[in-house]
Amino acid sequence: MSDLRQRFFIEDSPIRGEIVHLEEALQTILAKREYMPAVQSLLGEMLSATALLASTLKIQGRISLQIQATGTFKWAMAECNHLGEVRALADYEEDPRFAEGTDSRTVLASLTNPVLFINIEPEHGERYQGIVPLDQPTLAGCLIQYYDLSAQIPTHIVLATNSQRSGGLLIQLLPRNEEEQEFVDEDLWPRLTMLTETLKPEELTDLSANEILYRLYNEEEVRLPEAEQLKFGCTCSRERCANALIQIGVAAVHESLEIQNPIQMDCQCCNTRYEFTAEEALGLFGEHLS
Ligand SMILES: [Zn+2]
């Protein structure tokens, strides 16, 4: 049951949903660095959230959640692409609060000047960035509020992480036309969101998608397409490193080359090293070594 995304439909209703479980990918990410317990929890939740949100997009590309702050906690990101590849990373200074508990709320409550971005980057086409107010105690709460206010798609999300795995569940009320509206059970959405809230964190992380769906919605007819595999995967590439060099500018590249030649760029997510010789780095700007 590890590392799967299961879509589901409530029959004869405009409600669809997703359940995700991440275990191997989460372990791979947590093994790269020694994260403090509350940070592990936040990364697990961000990872499940991006895997859920990615399923709501119909694009080839990736979606990421990114937290930025100015206190001891600096930033965190989690990303999922259309192939079901996920990655996540965080940077912070030691803070005793992050070791006290294993609850992501501890980190969220500690943030100074926090901003949460949702980035959607299609392979072809325009990028989108939304800003999610971080004014709820939980990440799920912030995302629910964002979907209700900004995206105007009634959405309910629950997230949970333990030291082994992270889980997430999303349900959405899809837009209907007038004709469809006539046949809709108006109580269904409030009923299902209330039921969803009764799911305990340990049930979300430990039960299979089938068990969760039965536990919550056994009075409804639930249809399940085949589950999708999720896995750890890094989207770093030589091309992205080259773009990063172009962004910092030719003067900064000259400076870097004085300190280090070839320039070495290590991906912090997967530890891959990319090297650019002076000729290659300056070639990006049309400069040649004389
Ligand atoms: Zn990488």
Side-chain angles (χ1 to χ4, degrees), residues 210-279:
N210 276 325
E211 288 169 317
I212 291 172
L213 290 171
Y214 183 77
R215 153 87 177 72
L216 293 178
Y217 316 128
N218 59 61
E219 288 187 9
E220 311 302 329
E221 205 175 314
V222 180
R223 183 161 57 85
L224 299 179
E226 206 175 325
E228 296 163 84
Q229 196 78 45
L230 299 169
K231 56 181 180 292
F232 174 79
C234 199
T235 46
C236 67
S237 67
R238 194 172 170 78
E239 192 189 349
R240 281 178 93 173
C241 289
N243 284 335
L245 289 177
I246 292 168
Q247 290 229 312
I248 64 169
V250 69
V253 167
H254 273 289
E255 273 173 40
S256 301
L257 283 167
E258 275 168 33
I259 302 162
Q260 188 184 62
N261 186 0
I263 294 174
Q264 293 177 343
M265 298 170 82
D266 294 329
C267 174
Q268 292 180 303
C269 278
C270 69
N271 302 337
T272 303
R273 171 165 290 181
Y274 297 92
E275 289 194 341
F276 290 82
T277 63
E279 194 173 2

Side-chain angles (χ1 to χ4, degrees), residues 2-290:
S2 86
D3 300 71
L4 288 177
R5 181 168 57 207
Q6 176 68 65
R7 177 163 292 199
F8 62 89
F9 299 94
I10 305 293
E11 283 290 18
D12 302 320
S13 90
I15 296 172
R16 44 142 259 149
E18 305 278 346
I19 292 176
V20 297
H21 282 120
L22 289 154
E23 183 169 352
E24 271 183 48
L26 181 67
Q27 292 308 320
T28 305
I29 289 161
L30 297 182
K32 305 256 179 234
R33 288 182 171 199
E34 265 184 48
Y35 291 110
M36 296 174 90
V39 179
Q40 290 191 15
S41 167
L42 179 65
L43 276 179
E45 290 188 11
M46 287 175 72
L47 204 63
S48 281
T50 48
L52 289 172
L53 300 182
S55 72
T56 66
L57 300 175
K58 292 178 187 73
I59 56 149
Q60 303 244 314
R62 50 206 161 96
I63 182 163
S64 61
L65 286 175
Q66 191 188 343
I67 292 175
Q68 283 179 6
T70 57
T72 50
F73 196 89
K74 305 294 177 203
W75 55 265
M77 69 76 96
E79 186 182 87
C80 181
N81 68 12
H82 65 276
L83 302 171
E85 292 172 331
V86 296
R87 61 175 192 154
L89 196 63
D91 190 31
Y92 59 97
E93 288 163 16
E94 291 271 314
D95 186 324
R97 287 174 295 180
F98 305 158
E100 274 164 21
T102 55
D103 195 329
S104 61
R105 271 181 254 219
T106 320
V107 182
L108 293 178
S110 82
L111 298 176
T112 312
N113 303 320
V115 194
L116 172 60
F117 296 105
I118 289 188
N119 300 303
I120 299 170
E121 296 174 59
E123 277 175 3
H124 310 286
E126 247 174 79
R127 292 176 178 202
Y128 166 85
Q129 184 170 69
I131 295 179
V132 182
L134 265 170
D135 55 4
Q136 303 289 319
T138 63
L139 179 64
C142 296
L143 293 170
I144 290 169
Q145 181 178 260
Y146 171 79
Y147 270 85
D148 282 349
L149 297 178
S150 304
Q152 302 200 331
I153 304 169
T155 300
H156 203 78
I157 298 174
V158 282
L159 301 168
T161 302
N162 61 27
S163 58
Q164 289 305 308
R165 78 175 70 87
S166 75
L169 188 159
L170 168 149
I171 50 171
Q172 272 188 333
L173 181 63
L174 301 174
R176 294 140 288 172
N177 62 35
E178 260 176 50
E179 199 181 325
E180 288 165 331
Q181 183 68 32
E182 279 184 39
F183 299 98
V184 167
D185 168 4
E186 289 295 337
D187 291 335
L188 186 61
W189 177 251
R191 196 163 72 235
L192 292 194
T193 52
M194 221 166 65
L195 283 169
T196 306
E197 273 301 304
T198 66
L199 192 66
K200 298 186 184 80
E202 61 271 24
E203 292 176 318
L204 182 53
T205 50
D206 296 354
L207 297 181
S208 71
N210 276 325
E211 288 169 317
I212 291 172
L213 290 171
Y214 183 77
R215 153 87 177 72
L216 293 178
Y217 316 128
N218 59 61
E219 288 187 9
E220 311 302 329
E221 205 175 314
V222 180
R223 183 161 57 85
L224 299 179
E226 206 175 325
E228 296 163 84
Q229 196 78 45
L230 299 169
K231 56 181 180 292
F232 174 79
C234 199
T235 46
C236 67
S237 67
R238 194 172 170 78
E239 192 189 349
R240 281 178 93 173
C241 289
N243 284 335
L245 289 177
I246 292 168
Q247 290 229 312
I248 64 169
V250 69
V253 167
H254 273 289
E255 273 173 40
S256 301
L257 283 167
E258 275 168 33
I259 302 162
Q260 188 184 62
N261 186 0
I263 294 174
Q264 293 177 343
M265 298 170 82
D266 294 329
C267 174
Q268 292 180 303
C269 278
C270 69
N271 302 337
T272 303
R273 171 165 290 181
Y274 297 92
E275 289 194 341
F276 290 82
T277 63
E279 194 173 2
E280 288 167 336
L282 296 174
L284 297 170
F285 300 92
E287 284 193 16
H288 302 281
L289 293 180
S290 46

